[in-house]
């Protein structure tokens, strides 16, 4: 993993390429995906209770935390996983975490992802958008980490080459999906209040990643490199006791969007 910090545009941006293999406890394997949630094949099939499962996994991920409160954070991760027991799958997604809602930005971001999804399967965007809204929910807050994108796991609905091609196209499209939004807002003026709100939303980002994020949990359970596992966390964040947003404010608009992800129809 590598991190760029202290930039004029990005306060912190990191990228991680991982290729790992070995044997893992079955509970770590269970934390790695949602296969049993959807009633599919047992990931530890063929192994006795308590027996470690030989595995191979590889993935590419990146997180970018801009300095300007009007520039959203972006994250993507695409990965492949297999066990010697014959279970394998692709997973990943691209999602966006703004502090403030710019509807044109969200239409560009989600519309770009939908265009790619539609090339591979017309059902993908709706399914994976809903999955992202569900996955990135901070349950103890009743709100999402950001404004979603797409997320999928246990993907082996087509041939391995087709599944890989889908993940590859999504990963390669990140610059065109995200960077126009950064160029649009990187020089926007911002106030102390707006910066404090951005930092509070980053606090939510931290909460999700440490409590719910599947990659973080998997890395901690398998003894991964801690600096790489926690690379996605922002340099700075903020928590205020019993904070309330002002009525009819941009902050209230954003919070309503985080609390009602199903109502956010960007395409």
């Amino acid at each position: 993993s590598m991190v760029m910090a202290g930039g004029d545009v990005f306060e912190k941006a990191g990228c991680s390429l991982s290729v790992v293999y070995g044997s893992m406890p079955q509970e770590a394997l269970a934390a790695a995906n949602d296969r049993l949630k959807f009633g599919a094949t047992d990931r530890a099939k063929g192994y006795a209770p308590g027996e470690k499962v030989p595995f191979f996994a590889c993935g590419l991920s990146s997180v970018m935390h801009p300095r300007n409160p009007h520039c959203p954070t972006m994250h993507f991760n695409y990965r492949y996983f297999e066990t010697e027991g014959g279970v394998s799958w692709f997973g990943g997604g691209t999602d966006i975490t703004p502090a403030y809602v710019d509807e044109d930005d969200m239409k560009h971001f989600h519309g770009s992802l939908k265009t790619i999804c539609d090339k591979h399967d017309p059902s993908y965007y709706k399914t994976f958008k809903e999955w992202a809204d569900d996955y990135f929910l901070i349950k103890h807050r009743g709100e999402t980490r950001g404004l979603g994108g797409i997320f999928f796991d246990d993907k082996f609905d087509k041939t391995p080459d087709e599944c890989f091609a889908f993940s590859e196209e999504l990963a390669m499209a990140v610059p065109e999906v995200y960077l126009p939004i950064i160029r649009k807002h990187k020089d926007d003026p911002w106030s102390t209040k707006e910066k404090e709100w951005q930092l509070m939303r980053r606090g939510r980002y931290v909460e999700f990643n440490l409590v719910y994020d599947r990659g973080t949990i998997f890395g901690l359970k398998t003894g991964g490199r801690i600096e790489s596992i926690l690379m996605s966390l922002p340099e700075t964040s903020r928590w205020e006791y019993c904070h309330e947003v002002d009525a009819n404010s941009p902050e209230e608009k954003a919070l309503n969007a985080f609390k009602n992800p199903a109502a956010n129809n960007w395409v």
Side-chain angles (χ1 to χ4, degrees), residues 139-158:
K139 297 178 180 66
H140 60 272
R141 295 283 188 181
E143 60 193 57
T144 53
R145 185 175 78 175
L147 292 181
I150 61 168
F151 178 83
F152 59 92
D153 211 343
D154 308 307
K155 188 179 189 309
F156 225 80
D157 58 332
K158 299 186 178 183

Side-chain angles (χ1 to χ4, degrees), residues 81-210:
F81 201 111
E82 68 180 26
T83 73
E84 286 190 6
V87 179
S88 60
W89 66 90
F90 289 84
T94 302
D95 65 280
I96 198 162
T97 305
Y100 292 96
V101 178
D102 184 306
E103 294 185 5
D104 289 338
D105 292 347
M106 294 305 100
K107 289 177 181 178
H108 165 76
F109 183 82
H110 281 267
S112 299
L113 294 177
K114 184 178 186 300
T115 296
I116 297 171
C117 287
D118 287 351
K119 288 173 58 179
H120 293 264
D121 191 308
S123 69
Y124 276 178
Y125 174 75
K126 181 178 184 298
T127 300
F128 297 158
K129 191 267 187 188
E130 292 174 355
W131 203 337
D133 290 340
D134 179 63
Y135 177 73
F136 290 109
L137 177 66
I138 307 171
K139 297 178 180 66
H140 60 272
R141 295 283 188 181
E143 60 193 57
T144 53
R145 185 175 78 175
L147 292 181
I150 61 168
F151 178 83
F152 59 92
D153 211 343
D154 308 307
K155 188 179 189 309
F156 225 80
D157 58 332
K158 299 186 178 183
T159 68
D161 286 345
E162 288 173 313
C163 291
F164 175 75
F166 178 59
S167 296
E168 181 182 36
E169 185 168 359
L170 286 166
M172 295 299 292
V174 166
E176 65 187 72
V177 171
Y178 178 58
L179 292 184
I181 299 173
I182 297 301
R183 286 192 288 266
K184 176 181 174 183
H185 293 292
K186 66 183 179 66
D187 297 317
D188 286 359
W190 47 271
S191 66
T192 299
K193 179 181 178 180
E194 290 169 332
K195 187 64 178 179
E196 290 176 349
W197 174 247
Q198 179 199 42
L199 295 180
M200 281 188 277
R201 293 312 308 175
R202 285 185 177 173
R204 299 295 199 266
Y205 201 96
V206 171
E207 289 177 29
F208 175 85
N209 281 31
L210 293 182

Side-chain angles (χ1 to χ4, degrees), residues 1 210 216 219-221 223-233:
S1 59
L210 293 182
T216 301
L220 294 175
K221 285 182 176 294
R225 181 174 179 263
I226 193 66
E227 292 295 333
S228 297
I229 296 169
L230 301 182
M231 177 202 72
S232 63
L233 299 182

